[in-house]
Amino acid sequence: MAEQIAEDPARSARHAQGADFAPDNSSTPDGRAGAANREAFDRIGLRPGRQGGPGTKGPTGATGTRGAREAGPPVTAVKILDRSWSAPLVVGPLDAPARSGGELAVVRAAAAAGLPAVVSAFAERSFAELASAADVPPWLRTYAFQDRRTARHLVGRAEDAGFGALLLALGDRDGIRARRVAAPADLGAPGPFDDVRTLLRPRADWSEPTWLRAATALPLLIAGIRCAADARRALDTGADGIVVTDLDALPEITASVAGRCPVLLSGGVRHGADILAALASGADAAFAGRPVLDGLRAGGRAGVTEALDGLVRELGEAMAFTGTATVTDLGPHVIRTGPRPAGVAPAPAARPLRRAELHACLSDPVLDTMTFLNEITTRYPEAISFAPGRPYDGFFDSEQIFTHLRRYLDHLQEQGSSAQQVRTAMYQYGPTAGQIREIIADSLRADENIDVPAESIVVTVGAQEAMLLVLRALMTGPDDVLLVSSPCYVGITGAARLLDVTVTPVEEREDGVSCADLEAAIRAEWARGRRPRAFYVVPDHSNPSGTTMGARTRAELLELAARHGILVLEDSPYRLVSPGRPLPTLKSLDRAHTVVHLGSFSKTVFPGARVGFVVADQPVLLDGTDHARRAGPAAGTGRTAGTGRTGLLADELARIKSMVTVNTSSLSQAAVAGALLAAEGRVSELNTAAAAYYGDAMRATLRELDRRLPAERRAALGVRWNEPTGGFFLTVRVPFRADDAALIRSAQDFGVIWTPMTYFSPGGGGLHGIRLSTSYLTPAQITEGTARLARFIEARSTAAPDTTTGGAAP
């Protein structure tokens, strides 16, 4: 989760076009130094080898255990300039626009990783603030100022703040001088400059490090070193370290230094194997700018942490591949340079994938919601959690599984299956569309009045796979759109994101979705030149809002769908675990084959089976080529339609499934089938006790909320909630931002966990909503949990606005 950074409004405005963070590779822009070094890195391969070996680099500025050691993971730790780091890596230097507050995020992430970060003299924050945020002292990136009193002032402030070193780049500074930047925070000059020509000299020559060396006791590193002569001259000026910008020149420069100071490489580092190559070529450490910038832009401090963790992990993998125990064991013997021999694959650790090279959905927050909730639950184990939307554990008995399996085995034998056929049914893959379709069809007729042939059913790995299969089959191009009732279950929006399907939310009203709103959304999509293909809805006790669609709306929805030629994806897993007689399913009312019914046994039998199903009896017209190619069951079920033949949408879903999961677990299907057979298909009777328990839990939660926050008090606070008659969920509206930061505060300070409604709002919104799940808790937990929740809501509703949660809202 990206770090929330409180901003000083005046400072933010001053730095709106100011110098935050972007790679700056010493005296040459990243585009030149980085590109040249990247080409050089690409010519370097890693040699698998033994630990240690001839040619091991001698001690320069880095120290570590030399030679062989006991087997174990490689040690990346080093000591440079008398300070220990977790890896031979310096974060930066970075000094151009990226995002406000970025430098503080980078400094904190680097310190948490045990690494120094290089801060620009044109820092948005004061040096004292930046240094106090880091356990590892940052370095100051300074320049050749027109007035050396400016440089002396800034260096003095850095020294007083506890910075660890200074970095000065030789050469032209046209790049930084051409930028529109803000004056350094520690200089005290107000407002942005059109450029910094009034502050910096055009070029930093050799007089600058000589003067600077005399002006400070901080270690001084000189960047922009291109050859051995530059390195020797840097030592003569009193430099404590040098930064080389040319990987190809690194071995010669290192030899000329002969261990008198640390040698660092800047430019082109993107992977952990690049760091290893730099060290094997003679460097003691390397700078990482671009990966850090990419991480910062993608996710703030968390993104920087991920980038640094990845670099260090990749370095360890590359060391393990080369058989290297410590970084000081690295030498030329672990690398090879030049064109890679034909037919030789790259070293496994040499070019690992990065997140930016993977599908864009992996950066979508919707894919992280459950992970974040699990992290919060793990971090605060004593908190009472209203987050899990799962069945109550008290209804499960381990022996039941064996009873279910035995009942199904008996059924097979009663149907005339031989012992060999029974073994095959249990141990082999089984039909892709499922081997218990007849049993499911019988159950649907008995319990839901859904009368469909068994061949219209596909048994899936939970309802989640059913969603994926249906979307893959229906969505044929970038103009196809999925409409969803919003707030919406994250499973369908996540599946759509995986498949690059456009999702258009239709916002629910207080009593659920409105057909007028849906029709307006359909017409708007057609007006945009896009094709609405389907509408996803949970008609009964929906997740997350808990609303139930009325009988009139159900009839209107079916008529609307038929009129506009769209399908309705009906997902209703909470019907048969709710008290009372439910309204008819949309599928049972469907006479025009407009409803695709998504089913699951996770709530009604047990979630560990991971068995769901989809009823897809929509006719699919097949041309002659299709029919001939599919000689078999799919073609055989076809019906004449004009001059062509029709199959079923279920047949098409099964074809997709054959390329995804092949089939649903035969053992899981057997366990679910046994439970259905024992109840003669009536899942509602199987769940009589469970439905009563969940109904009691919902009523208890509503009763306790009303007791803790009576009507007059919640009206004063601006708090309200709905009152579902079943299902697992209800929604609480609050006057403050119920975001991740508020959730953390709730878990940490009040010991209660819930789910932000923002997770379920694909079009944005939900900022003031809390989802409560009542299914998983005992009565005692509900009593205590609602008390804690009420205290949290009271505290947050009456708190002054702050920059973490956005304060109170109307």
Side-chain angles (χ1 to χ4, degrees):
M1 184 180 63
E3 180 185 32
Q4 302 286 334
I5 303 173
E7 291 299 325
D8 176 348
R11 179 179 294 166
S12 294
R14 185 164 63 92
H15 283 263
Q17 302 182 38
D20 259 341
F21 283 78
D24 173 49
N25 286 295
S26 307
S27 61
T28 59
D30 187 50
R32 293 200 299 270
N37 282 349
R38 275 266 31 102
E39 192 277 331
F41 280 127
D42 289 340
R43 296 196 315 268
I44 295 177
L46 306 185
R47 298 182 186 276
R50 62 192 182 280
Q51 194 170 291
T56 299
K57 178 182 65 178
T60 55
T63 63
T65 303
R66 188 176 172 85
R69 64 180 180 87
E70 294 183 1
V75 176
T76 61
V78 295
K79 191 172 185 180
I80 295 179
L81 298 177
D82 293 326
R83 291 187 182 274
S84 296
W85 304 345
S86 65
L89 186 63
V90 182
V91 180
L94 310 163
D95 63 3
R99 59 188 286 169
S100 182
E103 63 196 9
L104 186 59
V106 170
V107 167
R108 284 175 170 168
L115 302 170
V118 182
V119 173
S120 172
F122 293 91
E124 174 186 8
R125 307 283 182 141
S126 71
F127 296 161
E129 184 178 4
L130 292 170
S132 66
D135 296 330
V136 180
W139 293 3
L140 177 65
R141 171 79 163 81
T142 189
Y143 302 92
F145 286 88
Q146 294 278 13
D147 188 341
R148 283 182 171 164
R149 288 176 297 181
T150 301
R152 182 179 287 107
H153 172 78
L154 291 173
V155 169
R157 295 294 293 269
E159 195 167 357
D160 292 342
F163 273 51
L166 301 178
L167 178 66
L168 172 71
L170 301 174
D172 295 334
R173 304 312 310 146
D174 290 340
I176 186 69
R177 293 177 78 242
R179 296 176 189 150
R180 179 178 175 83
V181 299
D186 275 276
L187 191 59
F193 294 82
D194 288 335
D195 57 47
V196 292
R197 291 183 177 88
T198 57
L199 284 178
L200 301 185
R201 290 191 281 122
R203 182 177 179 81
D205 57 28
W206 285 104
S207 67
E208 198 65 27
T210 302
W211 170 84
L212 198 56
R213 176 68 289 164
T216 180
L218 286 176
L220 173 64
L221 292 92
I222 300 178
I225 303 299
R226 297 171 178 244
C227 61
D230 286 348
R232 289 190 292 269
R233 187 166 185 181
L235 289 174
D236 292 341
T237 64
D240 299 290
I242 60 174
V243 181
V244 179
T245 57
D246 185 350
L247 176 62
D248 287 334
L250 188 55
E252 179 185 359
I253 293 174
T254 302
S256 70
V257 170
R260 287 181 287 171
C261 76
V263 178
L264 291 79
L265 178 77
S266 177
V269 170
R270 301 290 186 270
H271 311 286
D274 299 336
I275 302 172
L276 183 143
L279 271 59
S281 299
D284 295 296
F287 287 80
R290 178 59 59 185
V292 172
L293 174 64
D294 292 343
L296 178 65
R297 286 174 170 164
R301 177 179 172 181
V304 176
T305 297
E306 181 179 352
L308 295 178
D309 288 348
L311 287 170
V312 176
R313 182 182 64 254
E314 292 166 5
L315 171 61
E317 291 169 354
M319 291 172 64
F321 178 79
T322 58
T324 307
T326 70
V327 292
T328 52
D329 294 329
L330 291 167
H333 63 285
V334 302
I335 60 175
R336 57 168 179 262
T337 304
R340 194 179 303 279
V344 177
R351 293 292 179 265
L353 292 173
R354 302 194 70 83
R355 172 67 66 80
E357 299 173 309
L358 303 178
H359 192 271
C361 72
L362 294 173
S363 298
D364 194 312
V366 72
L367 270 67
D368 294 325
T369 54
M370 295 303 104
T371 301
F372 178 69
L373 282 177
N374 289 337
E375 177 187 334
I376 294 298
T377 302
T378 302
R379 192 187 308 170
Y380 303 104
E382 300 303 316
I384 294 175
S385 180
F386 286 94
R390 56 186 179 182
Y392 176 55
D393 273 346
F395 292 118
F396 300 137
D397 180 350
S398 299
E399 294 301 317
Q400 286 177 331
I401 295 176
F402 302 105
T403 302
H404 296 332
L405 291 174
R406 173 53 59 189
R407 181 66 185 86
Y408 180 63
L409 293 176
D410 292 343
H411 169 76
L412 293 179
Q413 292 174 343
E414 292 165 2
Q415 297 296 308
S417 297
S418 67
Q420 177 60 47
Q421 289 171 326
V422 172
R423 283 196 299 273
T424 298
M426 297 300 291
Y427 285 98
Q428 291 295 344
Y429 291 104
T432 295
Q435 63 189 36
I436 63 169
R437 294 192 291 170
E438 290 283 357
I439 294 174
I440 293 175
D442 290 343
S443 176
L444 289 173
R445 278 189 291 270
D447 232 347
E448 297 284 31
N449 197 29
I450 296 176
D451 189 4
V452 293
E455 59 263 27
S456 70
I457 297 172
V458 178
V459 184
T460 58
V461 181
Q464 192 68 42
E465 187 191 22
M467 296 175 196
L468 192 73
L469 298 178
V470 172
L471 292 183
R472 180 67 292 159
L474 295 181
M475 304 297 171
T476 62
D479 294 331
D480 288 345
V481 175
L482 172 68
L483 301 164
V484 300
S485 179
S486 180
C488 183
Y489 170 55
V490 295
I492 189 72
T493 52
R497 187 69 181 93
L498 292 175
L499 298 173
D500 290 319
V501 171
T502 299
V503 173
T504 296
V506 180
E507 297 298 329
E508 286 186 355
R509 303 189 185 189
E510 289 291 332
D511 57 349
V513 71
S514 159
C515 286
D517 294 342
L518 174 60
E519 185 161 27
I522 292 172
R523 295 185 183 279
E525 291 304 320
W526 283 117
R528 293 187 185 102
R530 302 195 297 200
R531 181 173 66 155
R533 292 286 279 152
F535 173 61
Y536 171 88
V537 65
V538 181
D540 302 282
H541 313 299
S542 71
N543 179 6
S545 64
T547 59
T548 294
M549 183 182 293
R552 179 177 177 180
T553 302
R554 293 177 192 235
E556 291 176 351
L557 175 58
L558 293 174
E559 185 277 329
L560 184 154
R563 177 159 40 89
H564 285 283
I566 69 169
L567 293 177
V568 176
L569 309 185
E570 178 186 29
D571 182 15
S572 207
Y574 307 101
R575 292 172 49 79
L576 301 182
V577 288
S578 297
R581 184 177 181 84
L583 290 169
T585 64
L586 294 172
K587 189 60 187 174
S588 69
L589 302 172
D590 181 25
R591 301 293 176 263
H593 300 289
T594 58
V595 178
V596 176
H597 184 82
L598 308 171
S600 171
F601 295 109
S602 290
K603 309 300 186 294
T604 56
V605 181
F606 63 97
R610 300 303 302 130
V611 173
F613 62 93
V614 54
V615 178
D617 61 346
Q618 288 68 32
V620 176
L621 183 64
L622 308 175
D623 61 28
T625 302
D626 284 335
H627 184 66
R629 184 174 65 247
R630 299 189 205 173
T637 60
R639 296 176 291 275
T640 301
T643 57
R645 290 180 62 83
T646 60
L648 295 173
L649 178 59
D651 300 330
E652 310 305 315
L653 301 184
R655 297 175 68 211
I656 299 171
K657 179 178 173 64
S658 71
M659 295 291 108
V660 180
T661 57
V662 182
N663 74 302
T664 301
S665 164
S666 299
L667 201 60
S668 291
Q669 290 187 71
V672 168
L676 297 181
L677 291 166
E680 297 183 346
R682 295 193 177 278
V683 179
S684 55
E685 293 184 8
L686 182 67
N687 282 273
T688 300
Y693 181 90
Y694 297 136
D696 288 343
M698 178 65 71
R699 288 188 292 271
T701 303
L702 292 170
R703 184 173 59 251
E704 289 297 320
L705 283 173
D706 187 62
R707 184 165 74 91
R708 301 290 179 177
L709 292 170
E712 183 176 347
R713 180 55 180 160
R714 59 179 180 263
L717 294 174
V719 176
R720 67 182 190 276
W721 52 79
N722 62 346
E723 298 185 1
T725 57
F728 288 6
F729 310 106
L730 67 97
T731 306
V732 180
R733 292 277 299 178
V734 294
F736 52 86
R737 288 175 63 98
D739 53 15
D740 286 348
L743 173 57
I744 293 173
R745 182 172 297 181
S746 176
Q748 176 179 287
D749 297 344
F750 295 87
V752 63
I753 298 172
W754 36 266
T755 309
M757 286 293 287
T758 54
Y759 292 1
F760 309 99
S761 302
L767 286 172
H768 303 287
I770 285 173
R771 188 195 78 169
L772 300 182
S773 173
T774 63
S775 62
Y776 193 66
L777 300 177
T778 65
Q781 289 173 324
I782 288 174
T783 299
E784 177 60 24
T786 50
R788 296 180 185 184
L789 180 67
R791 289 195 292 270
F792 165 72
I793 291 175
E794 284 269 10
R796 289 299 302 124
S797 298
T798 56
D802 62 52
T803 55
T804 300
T805 63

